[in-house]
Amino acid sequence: SQQGEEDPQALSIQEGENATMNCSYKTSINNLQWYRQNSGRGLVHLILIRSNEREKHSGRLRVTLDTSKKSSSLLITASRAADTASYFCATVVDSSYKLIFGSGTRLLVRP
Amino acid sequence: DAGVIQSPRHEVTEMGQEVTLRCKPISGHDYLFWYRQTMMRGLELLIYFNNNVPIDDSGMPEDRFSAKMPNASFSTLKIQPSEPRDSAVYFCASSFLGRLSGGYTFGSGTRLTVV
């Protein structure tokens, strides 16, 4: 079963613009992770944020976590055509190592 | 490191046949996960192992599915007999949970088509 729901399901932006994707989840978590999946390929880990952290940066990526609202957001700044992919949030539930994925956001960055 | 290696990349089989998917995790990783991805159901966790021992198989859909990890460098997911609704992309992932900051490393997947 899926833990999270992502919003929007699909996003189309122009190269250079910022892209924001949101994720909501249902249960208490140990950490939340974001992954990218290019068409027909495996998933690539982007960033992990722990439940006691509120914001994390990695290059052009910024992730926020609000445990009171059970939500997270992924911001990609200055997007590039190569950022076109599906993006998934995934949560590790307290006391387990099960990584449960959301439904994903399909991002299209137009050149 | 070559990453998580899955084989075969593609598998087409007839309904009723046995299918075996293979995974070689990253050396030193102590957790191994099997996922299935479909358009309808998204990414589903099927089973995961810690130090070669199955920890949670609650995601395995039916008795037709079985998974083994005979040693730290090899795991199999077997479907017997296969059915058309098993058609999906199956991913294997591994992780060393002592340092969670690295996330989980996924293989390229096996695309299974059951006709």
Side-chain angles (χ1 to χ4, degrees):
Chain A
S1 62
Q2 291 178 333
Q3 156 81 308
E5 292 298 323
E6 286 166 76
D7 169 52
Q9 290 188 342
L11 180 61
S12 179
I13 59 173
Q14 202 71 37
E15 201 166 30
E17 294 180 339
N18 295 343
T20 299
M21 290 160 267
N22 302 296
C23 166
S24 61
Y25 57 91
K26 300 172 184 174
T27 62
S28 178
I29 62 170
N30 178 291
N31 66 68
L32 184 145
Q33 304 177 29
W34 285 89
Y35 287 79
R36 183 186 72 218
Q37 184 179 35
N38 289 87
S39 181
R41 307 293 292 272
L43 291 97
V44 175
H45 177 258
L46 296 176
I47 196 166
L48 179 153
I49 186 165
R50 302 186 194 286
S51 59
N52 61 354
E53 297 176 312
R54 292 296 166 259
E55 187 170 314
K56 205 162 183 180
H57 297 254
S58 176
R60 294 184 297 114
L61 305 180
R62 182 170 77 96
V63 170
T64 62
L65 178 65
D66 186 336
T67 53
S68 67
K69 295 181 180 178
K70 292 188 170 57
S71 67
S72 174
S73 67
L74 171 67
L75 168 67
I76 304 174
T77 60
S79 64
R80 305 166 182 168
D83 295 329
T84 294
S86 291
Y87 291 82
F88 294 88
C89 71
T91 53
V92 175
V93 177
D94 272 348
S95 77
S96 85
Y97 291 107
K98 296 169 67 167
L99 186 64
I100 306 299
F101 283 85
S103 51
T105 293
R106 296 189 309 279
L107 173 65
L108 172 65
V109 181
R110 304 187 303 276
Chain B
D1 199 323
V4 176
I5 300 172
Q6 291 187 246
S7 64
R9 287 297 308 275
H10 302 274
E11 177 80 38
V12 180
T13 190
E14 291 186 347
M15 182 174 61
Q17 296 297 306
E18 177 180 297
V19 175
T20 299
L21 313 180
R22 297 173 176 79
C23 174
K24 177 180 169 53
I26 290 175
S27 177
H29 281 191
D30 55 352
Y31 278 80
L32 183 139
F33 305 80
W34 282 100
Y35 285 85
R36 177 172 70 175
Q37 185 177 33
T38 62
M39 288 293 293
M40 291 296 294
R41 300 175 67 88
L43 277 154
E44 302 174 277
L45 175 62
L46 301 178
I47 184 171
Y48 76 96
F49 296 81
N50 174 221
N51 292 324
N52 315 337
V53 176
I55 302 300
D56 187 332
D57 65 354
S58 59
M60 296 285 262
E62 301 171 33
D63 291 345
R64 297 184 297 106
F65 286 69
S66 62
K68 294 181 180 179
M69 192 165 186
N71 56 62
S73 59
F74 185 65
S75 177
T76 59
L77 178 66
K78 185 175 294 185
I79 309 172
Q80 165 64 16
S82 58
E83 296 182 3
R85 59 194 166 121
D86 302 330
S87 296
V89 181
Y90 291 81
F91 289 103
C92 175
S94 71
S95 181
F96 175 54
L97 274 304
R99 48 174 188 85
L100 275 175
S101 61
Y104 295 40
T105 304
F106 280 75
S108 299
T110 295
R111 181 174 296 276
L112 173 66
T113 303
V114 183
V115 299

